[in-house]
Amino acid sequence: MTNSNNKRKIVNDPVYGFINIPTPLIYDVISHPYFQRLRRIKQLGLSHLVYPGALHTRFSHAMGTMYLMTQAIEVLRQKGHDISPEEEHAAVLAILLHDIGHGPFSHSLEHGIISKMSHETLSLLFMKKLNKEMGGQLDLAIQIFEGKYPKKFLHQLVSGQLDVDRLDYLTRDSFFTGVSEGVIGTERIIKMLSIHNNELVVDEKGIYSIEKFIISRRLMYWQVYLHKTVIAAEQLLIKSLQRAKELYRSGTPLFVPEALQPFFQNDYTLKDFESNENLLDLFARLDDNDIMYSIKQWMYHSDLTLSFLAGNLINRNLPKVEIQPKAFGKEQIHEIEEKVKKRYNLNNEDLKYLVFTDKVQNNAYSFLNDDKINILFKNGNCLEISQASDQLDKHFLVKSVVKH
């Protein structure tokens, strides 16, 4: 075992500079194999096929959120708000572990391996298992993560419309992609944070930074997260796994990593994970390397559809994507299907892997829950951002853009 004095490390982060690991327990959590797995999972999935620099990982993102959480709590304390050392420690642990449930290629395969569970649900399962291993030391962190702790603002810092998760990923993803629209002034936003009626608010002077934050988030979704070439690559990845799973279940000989085989055989639910702890350990063995090595093997499979999909992904020969504001008509789809069928000599069953439709949706702000971004004025009034801003009215904020 490493003694406590050797656990107070610093990490050199390209975005924020030197980051301190605050406590021995946090060091132990970071050192755990579950957390170290995040080094092998790309933050932006296949976005590096469009933005070559986007090779950063979930690990670096988690470390960044840890740093921003410590900064936010320091600011709130300086403004006279009571946050105990135990609460700070728990909030830092909660944000550090918020993405530990991500699978290979992050959001690209959000439901590609486990179709009926989100990464947030898996993150909670990992946190509970770590808590068991560490003798209940994550109890308070789990309460904050689930929103069950009385101090609501601590949960809002972990998961809300102005949480440190969003502050880091916009800043970090902008840095590594080179898309300057994502630069949001993170330091100033954190300096403007405060608490009013047990909820996170922004001081009046920070309103323009918040306006820029909301607009930047919308732009980053269209330019990076929902970029049509990124979508094309992700669809090739998804369709490759779907085809491989179909072949595997039919008994066709196929290379599949041992840890992936159970997830190809079964469609697991939360109850399965709760009743069988081994499933979580199997999932924890999976990372980007398993999937990419499998796809490299599938390039040479005798099934022409699978080899076609896998080969095109490996060689970045991506499918054409057409985007329009309205859903594609049946005649238009049928015309394309017939062309593809004829060109590649496909049957109707295999056609679904090469011609398909979907939609993407982008809304930078939500009015659907009680977690709004509120602006605190010097006179004590507190207004929701659409009322406080002269730039972002409710019509703009509520607008959800859908592209087919």
Side-chain angles (χ1 to χ4, degrees), residues 373-401:
I373 297 178
N374 293 312
I375 307 299
L376 181 64
F377 290 85
K378 290 178 183 177
N379 61 9
N381 290 339
C382 192
L383 295 177
E384 190 268 329
I385 183 65
S386 67
Q387 298 174 309
S389 171
D390 55 5
Q391 300 291 326
L392 306 178
D393 61 17
K394 191 166 185 177
H395 174 73
F396 172 82
L397 290 171
V398 78
K399 186 177 180 181
S400 180
V401 180

Side-chain angles (χ1 to χ4, degrees), residues 160-228:
Q161 296 208 70
L162 195 59
D163 57 34
V164 296
D165 173 30
R166 292 184 182 188
L167 293 180
D168 180 80
Y169 77 62
L170 287 173
T171 303
R172 189 168 300 274
D173 296 347
S174 171
F175 179 90
F176 282 99
T177 59
V179 177
S180 60
E181 283 80 1
V183 178
I184 56 172
T186 302
E187 187 176 357
R188 177 164 175 79
I189 290 175
I190 286 178
K191 292 290 185 186
M192 294 296 107
L193 294 179
S194 191
I195 301 166
H196 179 72
N197 291 337
N198 199 34
E199 294 197 10
L200 198 66
V201 295
V202 178
D203 289 336
E204 179 183 359
K205 290 186 295 183
I207 188 168
Y208 301 119
S209 297
I210 300 305
E211 289 175 346
K212 186 174 188 299
F213 163 79
I214 292 172
I215 293 170
S216 293
R217 187 165 180 264
R218 181 185 287 272
L219 293 175
M220 279 292 283
Y221 265 85
W222 289 130
Q223 287 195 239
V224 178
Y225 311 128
L226 299 177
H227 189 290
K228 73 173 191 174

Side-chain angles (χ1 to χ4, degrees), residues 231-381:
I231 291 171
E234 289 177 347
Q235 286 298 323
L236 268 187
L237 179 63
I238 292 165
K239 296 299 180 183
S240 295
L241 258 73
Q242 285 178 354
R243 181 61 171 180
K245 185 185 288 187
E246 182 181 52
L247 294 172
Y248 186 82
R249 289 185 175 183
S250 71
T252 303
L254 179 77
F255 172 81
V256 180
E258 183 183 351
L260 186 58
Q261 289 175 16
F263 302 103
F264 267 26
Q265 291 168 346
N266 304 283
D267 296 317
Y268 291 116
T269 64
L270 177 58
K271 287 184 178 179
D272 296 318
F273 275 84
E274 289 174 338
S275 62
N276 183 0
E277 287 191 356
N278 292 330
L279 283 179
L280 200 61
D281 287 325
L282 278 174
F283 183 77
R285 287 168 55 186
L286 294 170
D287 56 46
D288 291 7
N289 299 316
D290 298 284
I291 303 302
M292 195 50 66
Y293 181 71
S294 299
I295 288 172
K296 286 172 69 178
Q297 298 301 307
W298 298 340
M299 282 175 67
Y300 307 103
H301 196 273
S302 59
D303 180 76
L304 295 179
T305 301
L306 179 60
S307 63
F308 180 83
L309 293 167
N312 282 330
L313 180 58
I314 292 295
N315 295 314
R316 200 193 177 278
N317 183 21
L318 304 177
K320 178 179 172 61
V321 178
E322 291 187 19
I323 291 181
Q324 61 184 39
K326 293 183 179 180
F328 289 86
K330 290 182 179 179
E331 289 184 9
Q332 192 176 2
I333 296 169
H334 179 70
E335 183 181 333
I336 296 170
E337 285 177 336
E338 289 303 310
K339 286 181 181 178
V340 173
K341 257 172 79 173
K342 186 176 180 180
R343 180 173 177 179
Y344 295 107
N345 193 26
L346 292 173
N347 59 42
N348 288 328
E349 186 60 28
D350 292 346
L351 188 62
K352 65 185 179 184
Y353 291 105
L354 270 71
V355 180
F356 42 85
T357 61
D358 205 339
K359 64 181 179 181
V360 290
Q361 185 170 332
N362 181 6
N363 55 312
Y365 188 78
S366 174
F367 288 91
L368 298 180
N369 53 45
D370 62 354
D371 175 36
K372 308 289 193 301
I373 297 178
N374 293 312
I375 307 299
L376 181 64
F377 290 85
K378 290 178 183 177
N379 61 9
N381 290 339

